[in-house]
Amino acid sequence: MNENEDEPKDFIKLNYEKLSTDEVSELVISPCCGAVSLFIGTTRNNFEGKKVIHLEYEAYSPMAEAEIKKICRDVRQKWPSVKHIAVHHRLGLVPVTEASVIVAVSSPHRVASLEAVQYCINTLKATVPIWKKEIYEEAYSWKENKECFWADVEK
Amino acid sequence: QIINCLESAELAGVRSEIISVPQQLTSLQLWEEIVKRHPTLAAIQDQVVFAIRQEYVILGDQLLVLQSGDEVAIIPPISGG
């Protein structure tokens, strides 16, 4: 067996295609790992009583990929047993109930992968330059994460 | 120095433009140069940061050394995920 096949890898993808949970889990599965943890972010149909028709995502793409790469690097420092990490974020129009982001992490035992997935999505929401616009029936709104590290969103 | 600015498109009315600024200035001074050209951006000063050569820079006293062709982006509050 080629040893290079099982080097720890980061799989980062930002594009306009529908996301696939199967594809993302298959990327991180590894013979030495007993745990794969997944987070899927899906479009919700309501915000503050307004009906959401769909979300539209935009990214400052080269920097978004670089920031996700930094998150992967931090994950590996905090959880050295983590094997593979995959972060796929969809851009453009995402209809209600479809996935906008999938994060998957594999590790030999479950604690690292569970904690790393949580860290990944939380940090993504605080630092990665991606924006979503909620489209309601009669209006739209650019959203602001409360995790955003520079804005006082809850003023 | 000539730098490329990606701007908060809806507010400024432009997506990106090339401007000329001193090679060394603080990040706040750079913001002021941009607002001179697009006064409507002043309204969002408290909500934005820069990304200069794709690294975050807060508006303040940090001294920047810019090169010709550097990309500066104005980053409003993010909402990924």
Side-chain angles (χ1 to χ4, degrees):
Chain A
M1 186 174 207
N2 184 359
E3 280 188 12
N4 284 340
E5 282 178 6
D6 221 25
E7 283 293 297
K9 291 191 202 75
D10 302 332
F11 300 97
I12 299 169
K13 186 155 88 167
L14 260 59
N15 69 13
Y16 294 81
E17 289 166 13
K18 189 165 173 177
L19 297 181
S20 158
T21 311
D22 282 350
E23 180 190 328
V24 178
S25 7
E26 272 156 40
L27 286 171
V28 303
I29 282 174
S30 163
C32 71
C33 290
V36 173
S37 298
L38 234 76
F39 171 82
I40 306 168
T42 58
T43 301
R44 202 172 64 233
N45 67 1
N46 70 85
F47 178 73
E48 286 179 354
K50 290 183 282 236
K51 182 172 162 197
V52 175
I53 310 289
H54 58 250
L55 300 184
E56 282 179 28
Y57 282 90
E58 270 187 36
Y60 181 25
S61 287
M63 186 176 175
E65 289 196 27
E67 288 294 313
I68 296 173
K69 195 97 195 130
K70 283 182 196 168
I71 295 174
C72 293
R73 188 196 62 204
D74 289 349
V75 163
R76 294 181 186 290
Q77 276 180 350
K78 291 174 189 298
W79 295 277
S81 67
V82 158
K83 189 72 179 192
H84 301 307
I85 305 169
V87 179
H88 283 198
H89 202 304
R90 186 171 171 187
L91 302 176
L93 206 147
V94 183
V96 166
T97 75
E98 290 192 25
S100 44
V101 62
I102 304 179
V103 177
V105 177
S106 57
S107 59
H109 304 285
R110 70 185 181 280
V111 170
S113 74
L114 284 167
E115 291 179 353
V117 163
Q118 182 170 39
Y119 175 85
C120 265
I121 184 64
N122 287 350
T123 312
L124 185 151
K125 285 168 112 38
T127 66
V128 175
I130 296 175
W131 296 270
K132 76 167 143 267
K133 191 156 98 169
E134 266 173 2
I135 312 295
Y136 312 117
E137 271 172 329
E138 308 210 346
Y140 67 82
S141 167
W142 285 104
K143 306 300 299 177
E144 301 177 355
N145 288 344
K146 62 184 192 302
E147 296 91 341
C148 178
F149 71 84
W150 64 87
D152 182 17
V153 170
E154 280 163 6
K155 60 185 182 303
Chain B
Q1 294 307 310
I2 298 180
I3 60 176
N4 198 3
C5 264
L6 305 181
E7 309 200 1
S8 184
E10 282 182 7
L11 202 49
V14 306
R15 190 118 202 135
S16 78
E17 66 175 2
I18 295 180
I19 66 173
S20 195
V21 295
Q23 188 184 23
Q24 289 197 30
L25 72 178
T26 67
S27 54
L28 189 57
Q29 284 167 341
L30 175 58
W31 175 256
E32 285 157 3
E33 290 287 325
I34 294 167
V35 170
K36 268 187 217 161
R37 293 160 172 80
H38 298 281
T40 49
L41 288 177
I44 61 171
Q45 179 166 334
D46 291 339
Q47 293 293 302
V48 298
V49 294
F50 282 131
I52 300 177
R53 298 183 293 264
Q54 299 182 17
E55 295 288 339
Y56 288 115
V57 177
I58 296 183
L59 272 49
D61 296 332
Q62 180 174 339
L63 187 66
L64 308 172
V65 179
L66 300 174
Q67 323 266 344
S68 200
D70 274 350
E71 185 166 281
V72 173
I74 297 173
I75 310 280
I78 54 178
S79 44

